[in-house]
């Protein structure tokens, strides 16, 4: 989709559809919406007075202009209550408008920048949110559907800004929004792709292709290299599969050790059957999404490169399948990780923490100022928080606060959970240093504690995104399936860090 920014009066704009907005409960619209209403002789006030449109979030109404202004249609989108307005509401409103435009078969949308200047929101952030919402809403994954009969996408969006002095910042925000949204779509594609296509080798292939396009350094470790490094935990999980594992390393400004160094780590289980501790079959298909953490890291790295953030950022993605076979690891086995730490396997279905442990050990070589891992780690996090937020664990309050700040800007929520020392008790082993499962109680706490055991003193945060990676429902920001959760959050976190 082509996106252009233009100075002008939205009333005079030529397009197939004009998009303006309304806060919930407003009966006398002002600003651009008021101007359109006036040009239409009060048509917007009329639908409001009739009670047919109240400005509720996610709602919208189409009006026909009958030749009074150049555009044949106007869409008014609801922004919800003014006092609850955030950047994410602007993102959502843009998504609602984009989907509605697609249903209407509209080719050219002209929209105002929802929320610019409202409650202290800057115009560039609002423009970014509107572009993100538009691109994310229109995303589809139809690769394996031969000739789908579907509505065609809008081809062009013009963002109309009345104030000429603001046009350059709107442009800046719009460009950033496109970069971030495209990175999210890249991550969604990786997650939506079935596991017979998205093997560890394919993950590495996609990472390498992307790295070449955006100018990242990409290294892919194969089994022999993992063996030399002593990555016995990653290799242990991979032992049950015929697909060879891959350890993907993406580097942005890798030589610049003078810059703050941040390492991102993503769980890349391309399919999690549970291994010998086999999962029940009903919804095992969902486990094609068990590489959602790795996908988010790859997506964020794409955005970091394209935004050329002044940071040294390293993305690590250990990738393997988790399958049962005659070569698979078994409950009771003892494995040795990269740093020499020994692990007793209680459940082969607690595989994510094993591959992350080797990656967290590997991260140490960069002398990082922060390490953030993302992983679809436990079903229990969904029981605790639902699909409303990821679980955030951190050994560093400053780092946790930075991430929480980024959740607000990105609209990708996370909620901080404790890392109590007592959780360590649950993962004490009689035969090794630690065991990989602490049982049902505090399943999320002990999983995070297991990961912490493999950090090497650097500030570290862990996001359990198990309930966030895939959506069972269509939302204003996308269809069912992969959400790309984490790309926006990580990118805002890094942008914030880069600002100092
Ligand atoms: N990949 C799963 C977690 C998961 C569950 C992700 C549901 C997305 C949706 C993970 O590897 C796993 O199997 N975790 C176990 C841990 C247990 C064996 C300690 C779980 O949550 O049951
Ligand atoms: Mn598992
Ligand atoms: Zn898993």
């Amino acid at each position: 989709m082509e996106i252009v920014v233009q100075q002008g009066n939205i009333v005079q704009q030529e397009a197939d559809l004009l998009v303006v907005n309304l806060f919930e409960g407003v009966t006398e619209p002002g600003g651009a919406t008021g101007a359109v209403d006036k040009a239409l002789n009060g048509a917007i006030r009329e639908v409001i007075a009739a009670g047919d449109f109240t400005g509720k979030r996610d709602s919208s109404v189409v009006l026909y202009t009958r030749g009074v202004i150049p555009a044949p249609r106007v869409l008014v989108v609801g922004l919800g209550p003014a006092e609850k307005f955030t950047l994410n509401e602007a993102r959502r409103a843009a998504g609602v408008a984009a989907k509605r435009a697609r249903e209407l078969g509209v080719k050219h949308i002209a929209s105002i920048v929802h929320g610019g200047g409202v409650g202290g929101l800057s115009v560039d952030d609002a423009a970014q949110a509107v572009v993100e919402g538009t691109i994310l809403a229109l995303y589809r994954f139809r690769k394996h559907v031969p000739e789908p009969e579907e509505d065609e996408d809008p081809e062009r969006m013009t963002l109309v800004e009345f104030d000429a002095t603001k046009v350059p910042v709107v442009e800046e925000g719009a460009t950033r929004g496109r970069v971030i949204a495209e990175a999210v779509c890249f991550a969604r594609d990786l997650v939506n792709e079935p596991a017979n296509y998205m093997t560890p080798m394919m993950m590495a292939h996609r990472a390498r292709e992307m790295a070449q396009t955006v100018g990242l350094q990409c290294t892919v470790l194969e089994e022999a290299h993992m063996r030399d490094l002593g990555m016995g935990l990653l290799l242990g999980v991979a032992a049950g599969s015929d697909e060879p594992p891959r350890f993907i390393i993406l580097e942005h400004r890798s030589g610049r050790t003078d810059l703050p160094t941040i390492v991102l780590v993503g769980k890349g289980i391309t399919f999690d059957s549970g291994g010998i501790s086999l999962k029940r079959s009903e919804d095992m298909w969902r486990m094609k999404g068990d590489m959602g953490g790795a996908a988010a890291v790859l997506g964020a790295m794409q955005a970091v490169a394209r935004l050329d953030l002044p940071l040294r950022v390293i993305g690590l993605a250990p990738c393997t399948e988790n399958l049962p076979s005659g070569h698979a690891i078994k409950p009771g086995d003892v494995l040795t990780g990269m740093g020499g730490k020994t692990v007793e396997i209680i459940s082969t279905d607690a595989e994510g923490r094993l591959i992350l442990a080797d990656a967290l050990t590997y991260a140490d070589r960069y002398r990082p100022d922060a390490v953030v891992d993302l992983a679809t780690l436990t079903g229990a996090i969904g029981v605790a928080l639902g699909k409303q937020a990821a679980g955030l664990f951190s050994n560093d309050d400053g780092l946790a606060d930075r991430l929480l700040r980024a959740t607000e800007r990105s609209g990708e929520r996370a909620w901080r959970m404790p890392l109590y020392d007592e959780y360590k008790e649950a993962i004490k082993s009689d035969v090794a240093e630690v065991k990989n499962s602490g049982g049902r109680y505090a399943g999320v706490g002990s999983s995070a504690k297991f990961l912490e055991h493999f950090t090497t003193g650097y500030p570290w945060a862990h996001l359990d995104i198990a309930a966030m990676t895939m959506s069972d429902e269509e939302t204003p920001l996308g269809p069912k399936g992969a959400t790309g959760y984490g790309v926006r959050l990580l990118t805002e976190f890094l942008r914030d860090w880069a600002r100092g």
Side-chain angles (χ1 to χ4, degrees):
M1 182 187 223
E2 185 195 352
I3 294 168
V4 290
V5 177
Q6 204 173 299
Q7 191 278 321
N9 180 349
I10 184 112
V11 176
Q12 297 310 326
Q13 184 65 41
E14 283 196 36
D16 301 322
L17 176 72
L18 300 186
V19 182
V20 291
N21 62 44
L22 193 75
F23 280 115
E24 189 167 351
V26 171
T27 51
E28 297 286 325
T33 309
V36 172
D37 178 61
K38 222 161 262 143
L40 299 183
N41 245 320
I44 298 177
R45 272 174 298 165
E46 192 182 341
V47 278
I48 299 170
D52 294 357
F53 183 69
T54 59
K56 252 212 307 259
R57 96 192 281 229
D58 298 348
S59 71
S60 64
V61 65
V62 188
L63 302 170
Y64 293 85
T65 64
R66 313 183 71 197
V68 179
I69 58 174
R73 303 173 196 81
V74 171
L75 182 73
V76 191
V77 285
L79 296 181
E83 66 278 10
K84 284 192 181 168
F85 188 73
T86 61
L87 268 182
N88 208 43
E89 299 305 316
R91 200 178 275 118
R92 257 180 115 92
V96 168
K99 289 200 174 189
R100 200 70 199 270
R102 180 156 71 188
E103 280 165 20
L104 291 167
V106 155
K107 290 285 152 239
H108 179 197
I109 309 170
S111 179
I112 57 164
V113 179
H114 309 302
V118 177
L121 294 189
S122 69
V123 204
D124 64 320
D125 286 344
Q128 176 191 335
V130 168
V131 171
E132 281 179 12
T134 304
I135 296 175
L136 293 177
L138 296 176
Y139 171 86
R140 299 188 265 220
F141 183 75
R142 309 300 286 160
K143 201 181 132 201
H144 302 288
V145 182
E147 298 171 48
E149 284 172 40
E150 286 168 335
D151 298 334
E152 278 173 39
D153 284 346
E155 286 162 6
R156 190 146 62 101
M157 178 165 74
T158 305
L159 281 179
V160 185
E161 172 56 54
F162 186 71
D163 184 345
T165 63
K166 289 184 180 161
V167 167
V169 277
V170 172
E171 261 163 5
E172 233 174 86
T175 304
R176 204 160 65 220
R178 168 189 288 285
V179 165
I180 295 171
E182 285 175 357
V184 175
C185 294
F186 170 66
R188 285 180 179 179
D189 277 348
L190 298 177
V191 174
N192 279 326
E193 193 71 81
N196 58 326
Y197 288 86
M198 196 47 59
T199 59
M201 265 160 75
M202 184 53 74
M203 288 282 288
H205 175 74
R206 293 279 181 93
R208 196 171 259 137
E209 238 176 26
M210 180 275 284
Q212 239 150 32
T213 312
V214 304
L216 287 166
Q217 194 176 310
C218 178
T219 312
V220 176
L221 307 184
E222 304 191 355
E223 272 170 299
H225 210 137
M226 293 173 201
R227 200 158 291 122
D228 291 345
L229 288 165
M231 292 182 167
L233 301 174
L234 173 56
L235 285 167
V237 176
S241 169
D242 289 344
E243 290 290 340
R246 291 290 183 264
F247 190 96
I248 302 167
I249 303 163
L250 293 169
E251 298 175 70
H252 171 73
R253 301 202 180 183
S254 58
R256 293 288 303 276
T257 46
D258 55 311
L259 293 173
T261 299
I262 294 144
V263 179
L264 309 176
V265 180
K267 170 177 170 182
I269 297 290
T270 60
F271 188 74
D272 181 13
S273 71
I276 296 295
S277 314
L278 196 63
K279 288 181 182 295
R280 61 186 191 132
S281 59
E282 281 96 301
D283 42 13
M284 200 195 276
W285 64 272
R286 288 176 192 277
M287 289 301 124
K288 71 172 187 169
D290 210 19
M291 31 58 75
V297 168
L298 265 48
M301 291 305 295
Q302 172 175 313
V304 165
R306 289 181 66 191
L307 297 172
D308 198 20
L309 296 183
L311 297 169
R312 178 170 174 248
V313 189
I314 318 290
L316 304 178
C319 298
T320 175
E321 287 186 329
N322 183 27
L323 293 183
S325 86
H327 299 285
I329 53 167
K330 304 168 291 296
D333 284 1
V334 173
L335 303 178
T336 305
M338 180 178 170
K341 290 183 173 155
T342 57
V343 181
E344 180 189 8
I345 306 302
I346 297 300
S347 169
T348 66
D349 198 11
E351 84 297 337
R353 60 199 74 183
L354 298 175
I355 69 170
L356 289 171
D358 275 341
L360 290 171
T361 309
Y362 190 85
D364 179 69
R365 69 179 50 205
Y366 299 101
R367 303 266 143 240
D369 295 292
V371 176
V372 180
D373 79 68
L374 282 84
T376 47
L377 205 66
T378 68
I381 197 68
V383 177
L385 298 174
K387 289 189 164 287
Q388 315 314 319
L392 167 64
F393 300 81
S394 183
N395 63 4
D396 187 283
D397 292 343
L399 177 58
D401 287 344
R402 279 179 189 271
L403 284 161
L404 290 173
R405 230 174 16 240
T407 65
E408 266 155 45
R409 297 182 55 83
S410 66
E412 293 191 317
R413 288 188 178 136
W415 190 256
R416 189 153 182 202
M417 308 283 273
L419 264 178
Y420 299 133
D421 270 344
E422 286 83 346
Y423 291 142
K424 255 196 287 201
E425 297 300 318
I427 51 170
K428 274 203 174 129
S429 165
D430 297 329
V431 299
E433 252 183 273
V434 278
K435 58 185 180 185
N436 79 332
S437 170
R440 260 169 59 77
Y441 260 48
V444 284
S446 58
S447 67
K449 215 61 194 169
F450 180 92
L451 296 179
E452 189 186 35
H453 187 75
F454 292 87
T455 60
T456 54
Y458 46 70
W460 158 79
H462 158 60
L463 285 155
D464 193 335
I465 63 169
M468 309 304 284
T469 298
M470 297 229 268
S471 174
D472 290 334
E473 284 153 37
E474 181 178 351
T475 71
L477 296 181
K480 282 186 198 175
T483 59
Y485 179 94
V487 175
R488 271 155 45 203
L489 169 60
L490 286 175
T491 308
E492 291 302 339
F493 162 73
L494 293 166
R495 281 199 335 111
D496 177 59
W497 198 306
R499 277 193 295 264

